[in-house]
Every structure is written in structure tokens, then in C-alpha cells.
Amino acid sequence: MPPGRARFARLLATARQLVSFGTIGLFCFAVDLGVYNLLRATVLGDAPIGAKVGSAVVSTTVAWVLNRFITFRAERTRGRRDTLREGLLFALTNLIGLGIAAACLYVSHYLLGFTSTLADNVAGNGVGLVLGTAFRFAAYKALVFRSHDARRTKEIVE
């Protein structure tokens, strides 16, 4: 395959992954937002960071399953040991992403004094989500969904 054509094919594949990742992200955003606000309205009313952690755990679990079987299905691992590694890397990546969102929420809520539910949502589920999402996509592509079989197949094709 000519270099220009191979480059275009990789670009197209990445664009498809971005669309799939974005769609799953929107769905998981709704899950995260719903769980966060449910926790804030019930058991964690005075604990925005705890509510954010709880909502992130639920939405992250949904995101791993959907990204594993839809967005990165060709790159996902197959063996038990590799799948465990993938799951641990996914969890670590999302902990870092959660840290990014929680840091935005912390700065807004505790340092800047914006303590309303709206302000918490803008900081944690707006700014933090955008920054965390950019980090996650790059990390998923570079580190998490890196099947040895998929890499071998890609090398043979190129």
C-alpha cells in the first residue's frame, strides 16, 4: 500500500474511533452526571468530591465495557493475563482522568469559593471532563488497548 494511502487509512480509522469514543463518552457523561447529582441529592449532599468519585466509578465501568467491545475492539486484548493488564491500565488511566476532574472541582469549590451545584457541575463535569477526556483518549490509544496480536497484524499489513 502506498504511504499516502496507508496514512489516509490510519487517519480514517482514528476518526472512526474518535466518533465512537465520543458517542460512548456522551452516554457515560449522562451516566456520570446522573449518578453525581443523585448522590449529591441523597447520601453525599455535603461531599461533592465523594459524589464525583462514586459517579466516576460507575461511569468508568460502563466506559471500559463499551470502549473495549466497540471503539477499540480490534486492539483489545484476548488472553486472561493481557485482559487483566488492560483493565488495570484502564483503571489507572481513569484514576488520572478522575484526578484531573476532581482537581478542577477542588479548585472551583474550595479555593475559588464557587459552591453551588451548578458551579460544581461546570468545574467537575465541564472543564474537568474535557481535560480528562482528552487525556483518556490519548492514553487508551497509546497504552491501554494495545493488543500484541493487533500490533502484529498492523505490522504485516504495512
Side-chain angles (χ1 to χ4, degrees):
M1 184 179 297
R5 200 169 195 179
R7 199 172 313 125
F8 179 74
R10 283 192 304 272
L11 183 63
L12 187 59
T14 300
R16 287 183 183 136
Q17 283 182 323
L18 277 168
V19 169
S20 175
F21 179 78
T23 302
I24 290 168
L26 284 174
F27 176 74
C28 290
F29 173 74
V31 170
D32 187 45
L33 190 62
V35 172
Y36 175 79
N37 284 301
L38 179 66
L39 291 173
R40 284 294 308 269
T42 58
V43 296
L44 296 174
D46 291 332
I49 302 297
K52 186 67 195 159
V53 169
S55 69
V57 167
V58 172
S59 65
T60 297
T61 302
V62 173
W64 182 52
V65 171
L66 294 177
N67 277 300
R68 177 170 168 67
F69 289 102
I70 298 172
T71 305
F72 298 102
R73 68 183 168 272
E75 293 89 1
R76 74 174 189 253
T77 56
R78 304 258 188 294
R80 181 177 287 183
R81 186 169 188 250
D82 287 335
T83 300
L84 177 61
R85 179 189 156 282
E86 178 187 284
L88 291 173
L89 283 172
F90 190 89
L92 178 62
T93 298
N94 279 280
L95 279 174
I96 295 169
L98 169 61
I100 292 168
C104 291
L105 178 58
Y106 181 87
V107 168
S108 173
H109 192 89
Y110 295 107
L111 298 181
L112 300 177
F114 299 120
T115 58
S116 71
T117 302
L118 176 62
D120 287 346
N121 274 297
V122 168
N125 296 313
V127 176
L129 180 76
V130 169
L131 296 176
T133 297
F135 167 78
R136 283 181 184 102
F137 183 77
Y140 292 169
K141 225 169 152 43
L143 301 171
V144 178
F145 296 105
R146 300 289 297 179
S147 167
H148 295 294
D149 294 335
R151 275 185 265 154
R152 270 191 231 113
T153 303
K154 194 180 283 185
E155 289 169 3
I156 291 169
V157 169
E158 293 174 352

